[in-house]
Amino acid sequence: MRLSRYFLPVLKETPAEAQIVSHRYMLRAGMIKQASAGIYSWLPLGYRVLRKIEDIIHDEQQRAGHIPLLMPTLQSADLWRESGRYEAYGEEMLRITDRHDRDMLYTPTAEELITDIFRANVSSYKDLPLTLYQIQWKFRDEIRPRFGVMRGREFYMKDGYNFDLTKEDALHAYNRHLVSYLRTYERMGLQAIPMRADSGPIGGDDTHEFLVLAETGESEVFYDSEITDLKFGDREIDYDSHEQCRAVLEEFTSRYARTDETHDEALFNQVPEERRRTARGIEVGQIFYFGTKYSEPMGATVSDGEGNQVPVHMGSHGIGVSRLLGAIIEASHDDKGIIWPEGVTPFHCGIVNLKSGDEAADAACDKIYAALRALGLDPLYDDTNDRAGAKFATMDLIGLPWRITVGPRGLKNGVVELTSRRTGESEELPPEEAVAKVAKIYGVAQG
Amino acid sequence: MRLSRYFLPVLKETPAEAQIVSHRYMLRAGMIKQASAGIYSWLPLGYRVLRKIEDIIHDEQQRAGHIPLLMPTLQSADLWRESGRYEAYGEEMLRITDRHDRDMLYTPTAEELITDIFRANVSSYKDLPLTLYQIQWKFRDEIRPRFGVMRGREFYMKDGYNFDLTKEDALHAYNRHLVSYLRTYERMGLQAIPMRADSGPIGGDDTHEFLVLAETGESEVFYDSEITDLKFGDREIDYDSHEQCRAVLEEFTSRYARTDETHDEALFNQVPEERRRTARGIEVGQIFYFGTKYSEPMGATVSDGEGNQVPVHMGSHGIGVSRLLGAIIEASHDDKGIIWPEGVTPFHCGIVNLKSGDEAADAACDKIYAALRALGLDPLYDDTNDRAGAKFATMDLIGLPWRITVGPRGLKNGVVELTSRRTGESEELPPEEAVAKVAKIYGVAQG
């Protein structure tokens, strides 16, 4: 993308209403604009990151064998009366009346609707196991929305639901989700630690939250420092294997790690003192096993192959998609702006033309731009007439992990500059080598 | 995808509530399930097609230089009061009150919000031309929702907005949209004819609707038969060229083609009698030029480089994304089911194992399945124990354009069968040639 043709409304001033760094940078970098309290428009740069995150989640969910579908944002209140949640849910549920005076709501979660889809279409254990998921907009009428997309009212969420014949199978689904979530967050450059959690209004027997450590986190967390050494990495996993998934769960949950909600001082004190840590964390996902809580009242049963109709065992598993943008920025920034991990960066690389209008500089930039695009990469080429300082400041603010700087002086020596946003380190090298290096970083093959 | 691991709840019976063929087939093929009146869940098969259509639209919009963003589904009523539309819009607007008693609405369209984004961020003619678009859920509280996704209440729509300094530039944006829409529909296997239209509640000076001819269309249309011979095809277009885009507009709109709303009998009678046609059509898109209708009252002005602040010239341009699924099915089906055009098919090819459990048949199917996937194609492999007739009926119903049938008898002769859903024609050929032929149809290179 050429910046002269893009819509990147960066702000010079720090908006007064933004209290935390991710909110400030998302506004300043032209990623979001508030439409009304707790409701945001995703401007082009923000939308790009949102899609990148969404793509990673789809990819990892489908790798785990989960099947995407899409449920509507507005639902009838009837189903929620069936489960008993219509009255139980507090004022955070946005209740709506349509022109025929029917009670509706903007869905904050979809256990009822997915259970209805299941019971209408599945009747035999032979169709299990089954995990369906969606990535869809949700609404939660927060009394005091704040922190930008971190606690907004209209938010984007992945919610998945497993249906299994037995508790054992459902716990495998739970473990499988844990594994797929670990992979998902790592691909986004995040370390998200599974912590034992309370189940809250959804209800459940077994549940873990995933927390990203960050100073601005809403939760206080207590953990054994050994847990931050764990990495899923690129190990192979057979998602059908109960043993393999359980082993990962055990590896990642056997050390102490809890939020203030479930913190147990006595247990924590059994961790050797030098490994005891307290910090703050941002919740970016949660997995639940809740058994037959919805299947029983709603009649979601299957034949078990032995003549019985049994309610299915279920769980629900969520990732806060829009909130993840905030979490990633909280975990990865400096005083100049955002530092995107390569996995979610809106553009793979920036190209800064130090002297737009200079024939050699323009030609070299065009060539680098074309070469990167031919490799399937998306560079953002600042081809405007701004002065160099302003161009650098914008690139630092929007946080592209790599920048190629092109100027007449360097070109006389046959070189451009490749700079890492994270380390600030630069090296001079010929344009084609800069392209090759960026290609290698993103794992794309050169022809 | 292996069918044994997928969620494809096909129905044997025709649902009584479905009056038109697309609605019937979408329900029977397990593509959608009604959640409440005029509101649908998109089951996995339907969701796949929805995403395919969305991808084509994104691709063609960005080819034309338009920039994606995303606006929220719920908006504050304040902006709509500014434009005067909050009161003017009828009962089809779903009005909502939040917990703080603030007036909100589920957006049926986004002229106000995009104009607000523009005026907050753009102040100079140098930042023009600019076209922003989104693909987002909308709501229209239809008094009698019907015809499935064709006239639903919650619907998925691409809406784009151009901002230009002059009327001439804005008309170029209009023409550019017309070209990109022609390309978009053709890639979906649709012929959509631009017809002069009324502007309706959005208001506008210049507007065309795109109509797909189909017996069940809501509009009566009148046209010169020469228009159906026009095809955009794979010609090159420079979207920056006013002349090229205008020439396409003239080519595609100079012959008579109007809906009943703007039909002019006297003009129509000037078409030679043998070329006069009347038919029914489904509206799948619309482009508008409306000048300064929103920019003036909302103060969306730019400096024109000569010391003046002038309101920008705008237009809005929509494609009914969810409705397109219905339109495609109305235009492309037979009495056995849907016939997907290759561009939007949920799976590229079906594989039917005539005798699951037979060692040779299973091995051959696995090999074909793996070979197609290695080429980046998505086959749907029916690996279940159903009898052959049921497997064929399902494949015909869900409408995959190509089917590879594998059985022990054919394999003894070294062949499988490749069948076209559209023509019903089959040919016997070795498995690797069947794979090569499917690869060629979809234009993917074999390694």
Side-chain angles (χ1 to χ4, degrees), chain A residues 42 70 73 99 106 141, chain B residues 42 70 73 99 106 141 154:
Chain A
W42 295 78
L70 196 64
T73 61
R99 70 191 292 177
Y106 200 120
D141 202 0
Chain B
W42 295 78
L70 197 64
T73 61
R99 71 190 293 177
Y106 200 120
D141 202 0
E154 186 168 328

Side-chain angles (χ1 to χ4, degrees), chain A residues 88-103:
Chain A
Y89 227 99
E91 283 205 82
E92 294 196 350
M93 177 188 278
L94 186 67
R95 294 173 168 83
I96 300 170
T97 309
D98 74 7
R99 70 191 292 177
H100 295 299
D101 279 330
R102 285 177 296 214
D103 290 330

